[in-house]
Amino acid sequence: MAFDIEMIKKVYDNLDAKVNAARKVVNKPLTLTEKILYAHLWDGQASTAFERGKSYVDFAPDRVAMQDATAQMALLQFMQAGRPQVAVPSTVHCDHLIQAKEGASKDLATANTQNKEVYDFLASVSNKYGIGFWKPGAGIIHQVVLENYAFPGGMMIGTDSHTVNAGGLGMVAIGVGGADACDVMAGLPWELKFPKLIGVKVTGKLSGWTSAKDVILKVAGILTVKGGTGAIVEYFGEGANSLSCTGKGTICNMGAEIGATTSIFGYDVKMADYLRGTGRADVAELADKVAVHLTGDEEVYANPSAYFDQVIEINLSELEPHINGPFTPDLAWPLSKFAAAVKEAGWPAKLEVGLIGSCTNSSYEDISRAASIAQQAVDKNLVAKAEFTITPGSEQVRYTVDRDGYLDIFGKMGGVVLANACGPCIGQWARHGAEKQEKNSIITSFNRNFAKRADGNPNTHSFVASPEIVTAFAIAGDLTFNPVTDTLTNEKGEQVRLDEPQGIELPIKGFAVEDAGYQAPAEDGSKVQVLVSETSDRLQLLAPFAAWEGTDVTGLKLLIKAKGKCTTDHISMAGPWLKFRGHLDNISNNMLIGAINFFNEKADSVKNQLTGEYGAVPATQRAYKAAGIGSIVVGDENYGEGSSREHAAMEPRHLGVRAILVKSFARIHETNLKKQGMLALTFANPADYDKIQEDDTIDIIGLTSFAANSPLTVVLNHKDGSKDEIKVNHTYNDQQIEWFKAGGALNIIRASVK
Ligand code: SF4
C-alpha cells in the first residue's frame, strides 16, 4: 500500500470526467486547485459549486504520510478504530526524534538506542496495518515523499505542517492532525472548509544569488503569518514554470509559514524531469496524457483577478535574496537592506552558526549551490568564521551528493554533516552553550524561526534564508555582510569576493543510494504483534474520552488567559517533550507551559482559584481535574498556529479543559480541538477578551441547542459578584457537533466499525 501506481492510474483515469463535471458545476474556467479539489470529492457530494471560505466539504485523499513524532498518536488512534488495514496508501517516516549533536553516524546510533521502543512500535504497527515504514536515517518526511510518492493532481494529507511541500510536484498536500490521518486511514472522508484561492503570478527568471527560497521569503513578507489562512496559494506564469521542481517544493513548503492551507504549482516540464530523475518515468508518462487537467485553465492565468480571491505578482528578474527574522518568518528583509536593519535593531551581528538543509532546502540543487560557495571558501583561503552544519533531506540525496563530492567540500570548509533528519530544526539540537541563554544569532535555510525552536534558547536570534546565503554568511560570520557587494579578508590578508552560486538541478549521473531505508509491510499483517509495553513511559494505549453530559457546561475556572502569540509550540512544547508523544498522560505535563499569562506576564505561572496560589499550568489543571471542576483557556489571535500536533488539543481534553475561547484560531488546531470533543470558540466581539478577569468562573450556555451557524453565550461570573454576558461564535457543522456530543470523533468511528 505504500506506493501504488494503480492508485495513480485510477486518479488520472477519472480526471477527465471529474474535471468536466466540475466545469459544469462551477460554470467558469477552473484554477488548478479547483480541478484537484473537485476531482477528490468524497462520493455522493452535492453537485453544487462550493463557496470559498464557507462550505465544508468531504474529500477522499489518495495518500497519508506521517512523521514519527505525530505518527505515534495517529496510529494509537487508528488501532482504536478496529480496521485490519489502512484504506489508502500510507507511510511512516522516522525523522523527528533524532537529536543533532555530534554528526550523522553517532547521532543516528544514539537515536536508535534512545527511541528503540518507539521505532519498534512504529515498525510493528506499520507492518501489521499495511503501512510503508521509513527507518531512522532514511530522511525527512517531505523530501522522501517528494522523491517517492508525490504526484501531480493527487491529494495527500500528512501529520505535519510541512506536508504542503508536495505542492512542488503538483499535489494538493495538506498538514493535518493525527485524528484526521486516522479517519482517512480508516476509510472515512476527510473534511475541509473549501479554501479561498490566492494566485501568485510569477514572471521573469532567477539569476545570481536569488533562489526559489527568496520567492516565499518575499511572499511571507507580503502576506504575513496570517495572510494565507484558509487559502490555497496557486503559483503560475512563465516564471513559475522556470523554477526547478524542488525549488517549487521549497516555496510550497514555506507556505505553511503564511498559514496557507497549502500551495501548489501546475504540472510542467520541470516536474516531468524530476519524476523521471527520481525513477518515476511511468508517473510522468501518465501525467503527460492528462496534462491539460494538471494545470489551471488558460483563461484563469490570462485574467487571474477574475478567478482568484487575491493576486500577487512576483518578478523573479527583480527579486533580491531575502533574509527573514528574527523570531518570526514574515519579517522579510531584502539583502540590500538587511545590514542596516541588523545595526538599527541591535541584533547580534556576529553569527554563531549557519545551518543548511531541512525539509525546506535539502535538494540536490540546494546542496550543489551551497557547495559552490563552500568551494570558493576553500579555493580563496577563507576560513568559515561561524560553525556550519548540513542536514541532508534524504539518504538518496545524501548518498548522491557524497558521491558527487559535495560533502567533501563542506568538510573542507569545516562543515559538520548531521543525520538525514529534522535535528536542529525542531528543538532537537544539543547545542553547546545554549543553556547559558546568551543573546546570539544563527541563520538557517529552514522554514520556522520562532523563539526557542532550534536550540531552546529564547535569546537565539534565528534568521531564515536560502542555503547559498546561509553558507556565505557562515563564511563571513557576520550578519552585516552582503555577498553581492562586500569583500572578505582571507588568510593571506587579501580582499576576496564570493562569486555567484552555481547549481545543478538534478544529478548528471542520476540519483543513487545503497539502502534508502525503506521497509515494506507484511502482505498479511493479521498475525503481526504490535509492540507496546505496559510499563512504557513513552507509549500508552488510549482510552476513549467521555461523551458530553447533555447539559450546558457551567462553573468552569479560567485556567489561563494567554497573551499574544500562542502557537502549538507554546501549547505543547517540542524539544525534550517529543519523547512522550505516544504517552498522553506524560506529555500533558507540558500543557501550555510556554503560554504567557496575561495577568502576570509570566510563562507557566497561573493562579489556582481553589488555593489562590500561583503554580505551573499543568499542575493547576490537574488540581481542577482532581476536584471535578472543568476549566477554560482564553487566547489571542491565531491561537494554535504552527505545527499540526494534535497533542495541543488532546492534552487539554485529557486534563479536563472544556473549551478554548480565542480571538481567532489557526485552522489545523481548531479542527484538532473539534476532533477531540473540545469546544473551540471565538469572541464575536474580539474586544470581549478584555472582559475576562483572573478569578472568573465561566458558564457556556446554549449547548442543548448547539447548532451550526448559531452563536453560543458565555457568562463571565466575576469574583466581585458582577457578571458579563458575551456572544461567542463557532464553526462547527452538524457532523462536528456530533463529535462534540460523542466526546470525540474517534468514539464515532469505533461505533461505525462495529
Ligand atoms: S520543518 Fe523542520 S521539523 Fe518540520 S519536517 Fe521540516 S525539517 Fe523536520
Side-chain angles (χ1 to χ4, degrees), residues 20-62:
N20 285 331
R23 231 180 260 295
K24 284 191 195 127
V25 166
V26 176
N27 206 17
K28 60 177 181 177
L30 295 170
T31 62
L32 167 63
T33 308
E34 285 167 312
K35 289 181 187 179
I36 300 180
L37 291 180
Y38 277 93
H40 285 85
L41 293 180
W42 184 257
D43 283 348
Q45 290 276 286
S47 52
T48 53
F50 297 110
E51 214 178 331
R52 294 180 193 172
K54 294 225 167 91
S55 310
Y56 283 90
V57 185
D58 282 346
F59 291 101
D62 305 311

Side-chain angles (χ1 to χ4, degrees), residues 67 95-96 140-142 160 162 253 358-360 421-423 425-426 446-448 453:
Q67 42 103 327
D95 55 1
H96 276 58
I140 306 173
I141 174 168
H142 311 304
D160 189 274
H162 294 97
N253 178 298
S358 89
C359 67
T360 327
C422 300
C425 181
I426 181 82
F446 306 168
N447 40 37
R448 295 214 160 120
R453 175 157 174 109

Side-chain angles (χ1 to χ4, degrees), residues 52 197-200 222-223 227-228 231 304-305 307-312:
R52 294 180 193 172
L197 302 181
I198 298 175
V200 181
I222 296 169
L223 286 175
S305 53
Y307 301 95
F308 291 99
D309 299 288
Q310 184 181 355
V311 178
I312 294 170

